């Protein structure tokens, strides 16, 4: 019997079970297995008890099997809150698309439809009375309808808001004027206003322009000053301006008139949209002289007398790919550009433009975090990235980008957290970040939230630091 021990544990158990009667008999008769610890406590009386127990177990098993079999006769409709008409999740099912847009198509029949990229084009057709030659475009990604010829209009206008008199001005501009666009980013540096990238309705952009503002020439006395009327107010716009705190005049440059709004982004008080020196030169003692009078009796230059000139900036290095809905933050002489989208991909890259050399460089962070339509607010040596879309869903996260190490960090945030959203705005004031509005794919918000920095309230005081080394 020694060969039994060469079996595996499973084979050994089967062997011992199949030969239990002979083994146990030998054990009872004092055979060679009598010293085995497995059989040491075994006796004839124990064997009978085990057989009886096994018989009871078999009886219980048959009873349980019979009960389970009878479950098939239960009327499922008698169970409360059980709906048998619902298909299982993997099954095919119909779903009505909740579309949006300013011009959904009329009721049509006999029309044609084709798909190009992510857009569905519908042409012609008729209703019960009239045939049409209209063209409708449906964006399958955003469920947005557009009537061709009645789509969104893009602008490249420059407007100035006097925040003391709440009066809009539309000055004349010259130079190499940038094309109409939306979803661009903006910052100020060295008495100039810069814009970067955006989209013009047909493609994403990655160009850089600068607007210089010069004092009027000596001949300005003979110029006719345009009257300021209500029609000068800009249409609803969508842009991001970095650095407008503490300024008395704020320009709004270009953008989309539909589904947009006037947006002023966050920034440092040192980075005024128009310089403080210009603001002092243009502030008029009597506000009535800056409103609707065509004649400048005081011979004092007004906002409309200054010279506004655009220049296309030629950069070196590898520029970021064309994009919109990104953010830009000016830190010293460097602009940090993060995220955005070209309409197809949500970006996670970080780029830096050195405004002293107009050279682009790329930054390698410790991990890729894709974002578009987020907000980015500088708080000392950190950028606070709030919300936005990550390519899959709208986020409610608060992420911190350490500008010294270029590592992403998180902090535990308590309180009533805003729901996930993008296309909102955020500014820093004192030890709070104010967040307003936004969109979550279904609803547009008019809420104002404040993120109390609390234990991080010291961060805005950190001003002496160097941005991390750049990677070409």
């Amino acid at each position: 019997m020694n060969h039994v021990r060469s079996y595996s544990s499973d084979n050994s158990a089967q062997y011992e079970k199949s030969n239990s009667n002979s083994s146990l008999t030998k054990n009872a008769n004092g055979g060679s297995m009598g010293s085995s610890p497995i059989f040491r406590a075994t006796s004839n009386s124990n064997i009978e008890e085990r057989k009886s127990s096994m018989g009871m177990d078999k009886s219980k098993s048959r009873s349980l099997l019979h009960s389970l079999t009878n479950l098939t006769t239960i009327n499922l409709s008698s169970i409360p809150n059980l709906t048998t008409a619902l298909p299982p999740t993997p099954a095919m099912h119909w779903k009505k698309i909740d579309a949006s847009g300013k011009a959904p198509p009329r009721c049509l029949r006999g029309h044609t439809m084709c798909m190009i990229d992510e857009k569905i084009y519908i042409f012609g057709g008729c209703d019960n009375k009239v045939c049409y030659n209209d063209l409708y475009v449906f964006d399958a990604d955003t469920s947005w309808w557009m009537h061709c010829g009645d789509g969104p209009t893009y602008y490249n206008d420059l407007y100035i808001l006097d925040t003391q008199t709440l009066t809009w001005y539309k000055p004349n501009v010259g130079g190499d004027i940038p094309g109409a666009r939306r979803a661009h980013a903006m910052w100020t540096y060295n008495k100039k206003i810069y814009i970067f990238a955006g989209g013009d309705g047909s493609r994403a952009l990655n160009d850089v322009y600068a607007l210089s503002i010069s004092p009027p020439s000596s001949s300005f006395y003979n110029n006719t000053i345009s009257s300021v009327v209500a029609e000068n107010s800009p249409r609803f716009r969508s842009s991001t301006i970095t650095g407008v705190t503490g300024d008395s005049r704020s320009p709004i440059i270009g953008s989309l008139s539909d589904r947009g709004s006037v947006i002023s982004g966050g920034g440092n008080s040192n980075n005024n949209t128009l310089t403080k020196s210009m603001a002092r030169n243009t502030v008029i003692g009597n506000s009535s002289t800056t409103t609707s009078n065509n004649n400048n009796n005081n011979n004092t230059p007004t906002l409309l007398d200054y010279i506004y000139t655009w220049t296309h900036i030629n950069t070196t290095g590898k520029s970021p790919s064309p994009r919109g809905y990104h953010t830009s933050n000016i830190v010293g002489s460097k602009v940090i550009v993060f995220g955005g989208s070209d309409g197809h991909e949500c970006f996670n890259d970080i780029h830096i433009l050195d405004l002293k050399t107009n050279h682009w460089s790329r930054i390698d962070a410790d991990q890729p975090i894709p974002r578009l339509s987020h907000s980015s607010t500088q708080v000392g040596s950190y950028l606070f990235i709030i919300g936005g879309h990550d390519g899959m869903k709208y986020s409610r996260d608060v992420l911190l980008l350490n500008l010294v190490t270029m590592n992403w960090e998180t902090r535990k945030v308590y309180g009533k957290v805003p729901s996930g959203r993008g296309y909102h705005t955020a500014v820093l004031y004192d030890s709070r970040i104010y967040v307003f509005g936004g969109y979550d794919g279904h609803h547009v918000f008019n809420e104002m939230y404040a993120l109390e920095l609390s234990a991080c309230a010291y961060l805005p005081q950190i001003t002496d630091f160097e941005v991390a080394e750049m990677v070409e």
Side-chain angles (χ1 to χ4, degrees):
M1 298 291 292
N2 291 336
H3 62 281
V4 175
R5 297 178 183 174
S6 65
Y7 276 61
S8 64
S9 59
D10 291 340
N11 291 336
S12 177
Q14 293 176 2
Y15 182 89
E16 291 170 359
K17 181 177 180 180
S18 63
N19 296 280
S20 59
N21 290 337
S22 59
S23 299
L24 290 171
T25 302
K26 290 183 179 181
N27 181 59
N29 294 331
S32 60
M33 292 286 291
S35 61
S36 171
I38 301 177
F39 298 96
R40 186 173 299 162
T42 303
S43 64
N44 290 333
S45 59
N46 290 338
I47 294 174
E48 295 301 327
E49 291 177 1
R50 290 174 61 190
K51 287 182 178 181
S52 176
S53 175
M54 290 173 64
M56 293 176 63
D57 290 342
K58 290 180 179 180
S59 176
K60 291 181 180 179
S61 298
R62 284 193 296 270
S63 176
L64 178 60
L65 179 62
H66 179 71
S67 300
L68 293 174
T69 304
N70 289 339
L71 285 178
T72 58
T73 62
I74 296 177
N75 184 7
L76 296 179
S77 62
S78 64
I79 301 178
N81 303 322
L82 181 61
T83 303
T84 58
L86 291 177
T89 301
M92 291 188 296
H93 61 280
W94 284 104
K95 175 185 177 182
K96 185 177 180 179
I97 300 297
D98 295 326
S100 56
K102 63 178 297 183
R106 65 183 91 243
C107 298
L108 291 174
R109 62 185 175 91
H111 51 279
T112 60
M113 182 168 71
C114 65
M115 188 94 185
I116 301 177
D117 294 329
E118 74 280 2
K119 291 183 172 58
I120 298 174
Y121 295 81
I122 297 176
F123 175 74
C126 59
D127 55 20
N128 291 332
K129 298 180 179 179
V130 183
C131 291
Y132 303 96
N133 62 352
D134 295 330
L135 175 65
Y136 293 91
V137 182
F138 179 76
D139 192 314
D141 288 338
T142 62
S143 298
W144 183 270
W145 282 105
M146 183 177 67
H147 185 204
C148 188
D150 192 27
T153 304
Y154 295 80
Y155 298 92
N156 59 352
D157 302 331
L158 172 66
Y159 287 87
I160 300 176
L161 174 64
D162 187 328
T163 57
Q164 293 182 349
T165 64
L166 298 182
T167 303
W168 284 105
Y169 296 87
K170 188 177 186 298
N172 294 321
V173 295
D176 191 1
I177 301 175
R181 66 190 63 204
R182 69 164 177 175
H184 49 285
M186 182 181 296
W187 65 86
T188 62
Y189 175 74
N190 197 21
K191 300 182 181 181
K192 293 182 180 180
I193 300 173
Y194 289 76
I195 65 170
F196 167 65
D200 62 5
S202 61
R203 60 195 174 97
L205 308 169
N206 65 344
D207 46 5
V208 181
Y209 285 85
L211 177 69
S212 61
I213 306 170
S214 307
S217 63
S218 58
S219 61
F220 87 93
Y221 303 101
N222 298 323
N223 293 339
T224 301
I225 302 176
S226 303
S227 61
V228 180
V229 293
E231 286 75 11
N232 275 350
S233 300
R235 301 172 180 86
F236 292 121
R237 305 302 171 117
S238 175
S239 61
T240 302
I241 302 177
T242 300
V244 299
T245 308
D247 198 348
S248 63
R249 282 93 171 90
S250 298
I252 307 297
I253 299 179
S255 201
L256 176 69
S257 64
D258 304 296
R259 294 179 283 159
S261 60
V262 176
I263 300 177
S264 296
N268 295 331
S269 59
N270 294 329
N271 302 317
N272 298 327
T273 304
L274 299 184
T275 64
K276 294 181 179 179
S277 60
M278 176 187 171
R280 286 195 296 269
N281 291 334
T282 56
V283 171
I284 309 301
N286 186 346
S287 61
S288 64
T289 61
T290 65
T291 55
S292 60
N293 294 332
N294 288 341
N295 297 323
N296 188 348
N297 297 326
N298 296 328
N299 292 330
T300 304
T302 68
L303 289 173
L304 297 177
D305 296 317
Y306 279 74
I307 300 173
Y308 302 86
T309 306
W310 281 108
T311 303
H312 179 254
I313 303 299
N314 294 315
T315 60
T316 59
K318 187 175 181 180
S319 302
S321 58
R323 66 190 62 202
Y325 303 114
H326 51 286
T327 53
S328 66
N329 295 85
I330 178 79
V331 182
S333 62
K334 296 180 174 61
V335 179
I336 294 92
V337 174
F338 167 61
S341 172
D342 61 358
H344 302 279
E345 180 183 357
C346 181
F347 297 126
N348 57 33
D349 49 355
I350 302 173
H351 298 265
I352 290 183
L353 176 61
D354 190 331
L355 296 177
K356 291 182 178 180
T357 60
N358 291 330
H359 185 80
W360 282 107
S361 300
R362 180 178 54 84
I363 285 291
D364 284 337
D366 61 331
Q367 57 181 310
I369 297 182
R371 282 293 187 276
L372 68 92
S373 70
H374 54 284
S375 65
S376 177
T377 308
Q378 183 189 354
V379 183
S381 58
Y382 286 87
L383 294 184
F384 276 60
I385 309 298
I386 300 177
H389 200 281
D390 63 6
M392 299 294 293
K393 65 182 185 308
Y394 285 96
S395 171
R396 63 196 301 182
D397 296 338
V398 178
L399 303 175
L400 279 66
L401 178 62
N402 190 321
L403 297 176
V404 177
T405 64
M406 283 299 167
N407 291 333
W408 289 102
E409 302 177 11
T410 58
R411 298 285 192 279
K412 184 67 176 178
V413 180
Y414 299 90
K416 187 176 181 180
V417 181
S419 58
R421 65 190 63 194
Y423 309 100
H424 53 283
T425 50
V427 294
L428 171 67
Y429 177 72
D430 198 10
S431 59
R432 294 176 179 173
I433 297 178
Y434 288 89
V435 175
F436 175 75
Y439 176 67
D440 67 355
H442 302 283
H443 305 96
V444 180
F445 302 106
N446 66 345
E447 308 161 327
M448 176 75 82
Y449 284 86
L451 176 62
E452 299 279 357
L453 297 181
S454 300
C456 296
Y458 69 93
L459 289 177
Q461 303 174 22
I462 301 177
T463 58
D464 186 14
F465 64 93
E466 292 291 334
V467 176
E469 291 294 327
M470 295 168 282
V471 178
E472 293 296 334

